[in-house]
Amino acid sequence: MIKSTAKRVPIGKHRLPPLPYAYDALEPIISEDTLRIHHDHHHKAYVDGLNKAEVALAQARAGKDYTFIKYWENELAFNGSGHILHSIYWTILTQKGTGGEPGPDTVREITRRFVSFDAFLEQLIAATIKVEASGWGILAWNPSWNYLEILIAEKHQNLTQWGSIPILVLDVWEHAYYLDYQYQREEYVRRILELINWNEVETRLDLAIRGKLPLYLTM
């Protein structure tokens, strides 16, 4: 029997992870006000919604009453995806000038898949800008094919490719940028790339290649 050593989060006990930097650390690209609202309110709402859905589903199982199963499964997918993606988002951002350069494995895998690093950036920017309504631009490791892929999640509860491991995510829900950039999504996407923590990206990629899910959540 294979035993997992990973910490398991009890049902309904997910917690909002603290930011790995101060609220003003990403200025002027992301303002302190935006970061506070985004983390303390929007991300927290996903955590609270996830916990509520897990408890409701546990009660449904115990009572064998699945009258509202569709609603709670949708709540689980929406809020769970929001919690996971935001938890990654905070870790792959850092104060400008402190994120290092793309690591050797990151450069190797990006050029293997996208021919050049510049071509990769062009595709990532274009894909993220063109996300319809709200969603995410995602660089993910696909273990089925052993290469990186750029994905877009227009509704993050609808998974794009099962089993792909997010390595770098860019949030283009309006709450991520509207206070600072209004409707100028392209400017926001281009500026936020200045904050990428390439050291974290390299770590996440290395773990994914080795078949280990990168850790990014707390209880």
Side-chain angles (χ1 to χ4, degrees):
M1 179 182 294
I2 298 175
K3 294 184 179 180
S4 174
T5 58
K7 181 183 293 185
R8 298 180 186 273
V9 179
I11 289 174
K13 299 297 183 181
H14 296 275
R15 296 192 308 214
L16 179 68
L19 288 174
Y21 33 72
Y23 287 104
D24 63 354
L26 307 183
E27 290 189 331
I29 295 174
I30 298 178
S31 69
E32 179 178 349
D33 286 345
T34 291
L35 201 54
R36 284 187 181 276
I37 293 170
H38 194 173
H39 177 265
D40 294 2
H41 297 280
H42 289 285
H43 189 173
K44 186 177 185 299
Y46 288 122
V47 176
D48 293 344
L50 172 60
N51 287 332
K52 186 175 181 180
E54 286 189 345
V55 171
L57 287 167
Q59 293 172 342
R61 289 191 296 274
K64 297 183 179 180
D65 180 2
Y66 295 104
T67 304
F68 300 106
I69 188 66
K70 180 178 179 180
Y71 173 80
W72 287 117
E73 289 288 0
N74 284 334
E75 285 291 290
L76 183 73
F78 177 77
N79 290 294
S81 294
H83 181 32
I84 290 170
L85 290 169
H86 278 89
S87 296
I88 300 170
Y89 179 70
W90 308 129
T91 67
I92 59 92
L93 297 180
T94 190
Q95 188 173 10
K96 185 176 179 180
T98 66
E101 298 294 327
D105 292 337
T106 300
V107 172
R108 182 193 68 239
E109 293 301 328
I110 283 177
T111 54
R112 185 163 75 96
R113 182 57 173 163
F114 302 101
V115 181
S116 71
F117 196 83
D118 286 344
F120 152 72
L121 283 180
E122 289 176 2
Q123 183 176 336
L124 178 64
I125 291 169
T128 305
I129 292 170
K130 294 297 183 180
V131 172
E132 291 184 7
S134 298
W136 301 77
I138 301 173
L139 175 68
W141 176 258
N142 188 322
S144 297
W145 302 323
N146 290 313
Y147 58 59
L148 289 168
E149 191 71 277
I150 292 173
L151 308 173
I152 58 175
E154 294 176 352
K155 295 180 179 178
H156 63 213
Q157 66 268 37
N158 298 336
L159 301 181
T160 48
Q161 289 190 25
W162 291 96
S164 292
I165 302 172
I167 303 300
L168 186 161
V169 300
L170 299 177
D171 189 350
V172 285
W173 285 68
E174 286 190 345
H175 61 240
Y177 65 90
Y178 203 79
L179 283 178
D180 299 328
Y181 296 91
Q182 278 77 54
Y183 58 88
Q184 300 291 341
R185 178 188 283 186
E186 180 174 351
E187 181 183 356
Y188 156 73
V189 171
R190 293 184 181 277
R191 291 297 307 281
I192 202 172
L193 289 174
E194 300 174 36
L195 302 177
I196 297 300
N197 185 345
W198 290 108
N199 297 320
E200 176 69 15
V201 171
E202 178 85 350
T203 297
R204 293 185 59 80
L205 177 60
D206 289 344
L207 288 171
I209 290 174
R210 300 205 309 267
K212 297 181 179 180
L213 185 65
L215 299 177
Y216 44 80
L217 296 180
T218 63
M219 290 178 61

